């Protein structure tokens, strides 16, 4: 019995000694595996990007678009962080002005994609969040847009901001005012230092609601870039800005090509649009029918305005622009219309009805050439007419033009439009630099 107990105790003691030796080996002698790379970080970034590009609406209260990016940056190892700092340091040293653009109206897309010729990520036009970055000279611009850009729920990256707003209708004005009040709060808390506004104004130039926000009227908006021929334009703190193409209808950035320039076009003119009662558009349709031009030109009229185009109607419209030498541009509520710029994109010469429309638009203190003061000042090579009864004579002259003459005219139009956008880009940048930079740098 004693011998059995002695053997049992010896066995237990031996097992304990073996376990102790194995534990000591694991702690002190066993080679350790290198930690696995943080694969969760790229997946988090991917999920964040997919969330921005999705077609669903995110709840602003629960969504921080920079949360995943902040976690990613914390998970970077020291070597990568050091390399990133080395790469960014020269750029930061060369940047005098950093500006963030908040695109809360479709004309912001014309500014960024057509004027600045810069892409947005993601490319999906239905994405909830889109952004872009661009360095021009010593100024660095970032652009954000989309339904998920909500006051208080995105990162204010710069103390210099350009706010793009729609002020055409009462509902839009109310929404624009909310953004202005948000910007005012940021200025009062010293998170913003300078603010400029790009405004799609009233088509009748009834923009009095914006006056109290302007610095010259006791407000805080230093610069206003305003669409349409407003008498408020003074080239000091209020500047005229082009309407551009209908980006809200997904009109694309058009890259000129050899065939676009040189290929003969089967239609002398085109007009695809809405015919409003008691408007000059009715006169235009009468002239086209009486002269038989409705059979030679690409004409597609409708009685009701469509706020959105289908893929089919948009393609049909672009084909008409591409296959016509001239694009007829009758006035609507305002003389300036998207059709003018869209025709330029495809090298189809705009035939513009050069008459003032009812409302408060007109000459300003710096220009007396309304309507279309900006385009005329920039030397737009359009055909201007006062009455659509002049159209048959214009198209008769077209018949006498050779293909080479039409190619040269087309080339002149497309070169002018490219130069126009470049000059507007430079004017935008220099105006901001002069206003936002200290005088020893901006001037």
């Amino acid at each position: 019995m004693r011998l059995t107990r002695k053997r049992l105790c010896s066995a237990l003691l031996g097992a304990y000694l073996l376990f102790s030796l194995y534990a000591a080996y694991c702690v002190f002698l066993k080679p350790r595996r290198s930690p696995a790379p943080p694969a969760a970080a790229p997946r988090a970034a991917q999920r964040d990007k997919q969330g921005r590009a999705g077609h669903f609406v995110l709840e602003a209260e629960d969504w921080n678009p920079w949360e995943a990016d902040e976690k990613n940056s914390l998970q970077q190892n020291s070597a990568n962080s050091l390399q990133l700092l080395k790469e960014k340091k020269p750029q930061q040293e060369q940047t005098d002005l950093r500006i963030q653009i908040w695109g809360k109206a479709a004309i912001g897309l014309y500014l960024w994609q057509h004027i600045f010729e810069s892409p947005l990520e993601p490319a999906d036009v239905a994405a909830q969040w889109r952004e872009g970055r661009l360095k021009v000279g010593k100024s660095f611009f970032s652009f954000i847009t989309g339904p998920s850009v909500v006051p208080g729920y995105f990162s204010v990256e710069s103390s210099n901001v350009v706010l793009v707003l729609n002020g055409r209708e009462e509902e839009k004005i109310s929404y624009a005012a909310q953004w202005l009040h948000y910007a005012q709060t940021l200025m009062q808390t010293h998170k913003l230092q300078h603010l400029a506004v790009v405004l799609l104004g009233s088509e009748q130039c009834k923009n009095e609601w914006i006056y109290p926000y302007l610095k010259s009227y006791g407000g805080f908006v230093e610069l206003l870039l305003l669409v349409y021929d407003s008498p408020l334009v003074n080239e000091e703190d209020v500047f005229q800005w082009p309407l551009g193409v209908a980006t809200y209808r997904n009109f694309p950035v058009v890259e000129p090509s050899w065939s676009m320039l040189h290929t003969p076009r089967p239609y002398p003119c085109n007009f695809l649009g809405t015919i409003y009662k008691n408007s000059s558009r009715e006169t235009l349709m009468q002239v086209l029918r009486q002269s038989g031009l409705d059979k030679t030109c690409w004409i597609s009229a409708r009685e009701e305005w469509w706020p959105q185009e289908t893929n089919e109607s948009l393609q049909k419209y672009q084909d008409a622009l591409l296959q016509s030498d001239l694009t007829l541009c009758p006035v609507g509520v305002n003389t300036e219309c998207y059709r003018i710029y869209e025709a330029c994109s495809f090298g189809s010469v705009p035939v513009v009805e050069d008459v003032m429309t009812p409302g408060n638009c007109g000459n300003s203190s710096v220009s007396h050439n309304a309507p279309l003061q900006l385009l005329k000042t920039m030397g737009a090579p359009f055909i201007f007419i006062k009455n659509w009864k002049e159209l048959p004579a214009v198209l008769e002259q077209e018949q006498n033009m050779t293909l080479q003459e039409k190619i040269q005219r087309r080339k002149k139009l497309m070169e002018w439009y490219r130069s126009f956008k470049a000059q507007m880009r430079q004017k935008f940048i220099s105006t901001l630099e002069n206003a936002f930079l200290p005088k020893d740098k901006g001037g």
Side-chain angles (χ1 to χ4, degrees):
M1 189 69 178
R2 286 183 180 177
L3 184 60
T4 303
R5 289 181 179 177
K6 186 175 181 180
R7 288 178 178 175
L8 180 61
C9 290
S10 298
L12 290 173
L13 180 61
Y16 175 76
L17 290 173
L18 288 173
F19 178 78
S20 299
L21 290 171
Y22 177 75
Y25 168 76
C26 290
V27 173
F28 297 106
L29 300 177
K30 186 177 181 180
R32 299 184 181 183
R33 295 180 181 180
S34 300
R43 286 197 296 268
Q46 185 177 11
R47 286 195 302 271
D48 179 61
K49 189 173 182 180
Q50 289 172 346
R52 295 180 188 177
H55 294 262
F56 52 90
V57 178
L58 299 170
E59 293 294 333
E61 292 82 6
D62 300 327
W63 184 57
N64 173 9
W66 273 268
E67 183 177 359
D69 294 337
E70 292 167 356
K71 289 180 180 178
N72 291 345
S73 63
L74 291 174
Q75 292 174 346
Q76 294 288 337
N77 59 53
S78 57
N80 288 342
S81 298
L82 181 60
Q83 183 63 29
L84 188 62
L85 289 172
K86 287 180 179 179
E87 292 174 357
K88 285 188 173 182
K89 189 173 181 181
Q91 177 178 324
Q92 291 174 347
E93 289 176 350
Q94 297 173 4
T95 300
D96 288 340
L97 185 64
R98 300 181 72 86
I99 298 174
Q100 189 176 30
I101 304 173
W102 303 346
K104 295 311 299 178
I107 56 169
L109 298 178
Y110 183 71
L111 165 64
W112 189 257
Q113 295 181 304
H114 295 253
I115 299 291
F116 271 81
E117 298 181 337
S118 187
L120 286 173
E121 293 293 339
D124 181 10
V125 296
Q128 297 294 308
W129 178 282
R130 305 178 74 192
E131 59 186 84
R133 296 176 184 275
L134 180 68
K135 189 172 184 292
V136 183
K138 293 189 176 182
S139 294
F140 179 82
F141 295 88
S142 60
F143 181 90
I144 56 174
T145 189
S148 291
V149 180
V150 180
Y153 293 95
F154 63 91
S155 176
V156 180
E157 295 182 346
S158 173
S159 61
N160 308 300
V161 165
V162 176
L163 181 54
V164 186
L165 297 172
N166 186 339
R168 264 193 179 183
E169 307 158 359
E170 287 299 325
E171 182 180 351
K172 303 294 186 183
I173 291 172
S174 176
Y175 183 70
Q178 294 178 25
W179 274 96
L180 288 168
H181 293 154
Y182 172 63
Q184 184 178 29
T185 300
L186 292 178
M187 298 199 79
Q188 291 170 346
T189 55
H190 305 290
K191 293 181 180 178
L192 286 189
Q193 186 177 1
H194 300 289
L195 177 68
V197 170
V198 177
L199 180 64
L200 176 59
S202 159
E203 290 178 278
Q204 296 180 331
C205 295
K206 297 178 180 179
N207 302 306
E208 289 78 7
W209 69 273
I210 193 71
Y211 291 6
Y213 298 100
L214 303 181
K215 202 165 188 178
S216 55
Y217 284 76
F220 54 91
V221 176
E222 294 180 50
L223 298 172
L224 176 63
L225 290 87
L226 184 59
V227 176
Y228 300 125
D229 292 298
S230 172
L232 191 63
V233 171
N234 57 22
E235 292 294 320
E236 295 176 2
D237 64 327
V238 182
F239 302 83
Q240 188 168 356
W241 190 251
L243 175 63
V245 303
T247 52
Y248 75 98
R249 287 180 169 176
N250 299 327
F251 192 89
V253 176
V254 180
E255 296 294 339
S257 64
W258 185 92
S259 61
M260 186 184 297
L261 184 62
H262 293 87
T263 302
R265 303 193 174 190
Y267 298 97
C269 69
N270 79 81
F271 174 73
L272 286 72
T274 309
I275 306 300
Y276 304 110
K277 289 189 178 299
N278 302 318
S279 72
S280 64
R281 298 186 179 200
E282 289 186 331
T283 304
L284 170 60
M285 293 305 297
Q286 291 173 2
V287 170
L288 290 170
R289 293 191 191 100
Q290 291 171 0
S291 59
L293 294 172
D294 60 329
K295 295 179 176 62
T296 57
C297 292
W298 188 329
I299 306 299
S300 179
R302 59 195 182 200
E303 295 182 357
E304 293 184 1
W305 177 73
W306 296 354
Q308 294 293 337
E309 298 286 350
T310 63
N311 291 336
E312 182 181 356
S313 65
L314 180 59
Q315 186 59 55
K316 179 181 177 182
Y317 175 58
Q318 293 179 45
D319 289 343
L321 296 175
L322 182 60
Q323 297 181 41
S324 304
D325 288 314
L326 306 178
T327 293
L328 310 182
C329 301
V331 300
V333 182
N334 192 282
T335 310
E336 187 175 7
C337 61
Y338 297 113
R339 193 188 317 274
I340 294 173
Y341 300 90
E342 292 161 352
C344 292
S345 298
F346 281 96
S348 182
V349 179
V351 181
V352 179
E353 186 179 6
D354 188 16
V355 297
M356 287 297 304
T357 52
N360 298 340
C361 299
N363 294 328
S364 67
S365 60
V366 293
S367 180
H368 301 83
N369 204 17
L372 306 174
Q373 296 179 108
L374 177 62
L375 294 171
K376 291 176 180 176
T377 301
M378 302 287 279
F382 303 163
I383 297 174
F384 295 95
I385 63 175
K386 293 294 184 181
N387 192 303
W388 286 114
K389 293 179 180 179
E390 302 172 34
L391 182 61
V394 171
L395 290 177
E396 187 176 346
Q397 293 178 357
E398 288 292 304
Q399 294 177 352
N400 298 326
M401 291 182 67
T402 65
L403 175 60
Q404 189 60 35
E405 289 173 330
K406 290 181 179 179
I407 290 173
Q408 289 302 317
R409 183 180 63 180
R410 207 176 295 162
K411 182 178 180 181
K412 179 181 179 181
L413 173 66
M414 297 174 77
E415 287 180 346
W416 172 86
Y417 188 48
R418 181 178 57 192
S419 174
F420 169 78
K421 291 186 290 185
Q423 289 182 66
M424 294 309 301
R425 178 172 62 248
Q426 184 55 45
K427 182 176 182 179
F428 181 85
I429 296 170
S430 61
T431 300
L432 293 177
E433 289 178 345
N434 290 335
F436 292 177
L437 283 175
K439 295 306 179 185
D440 58 334
K441 289 186 178 181

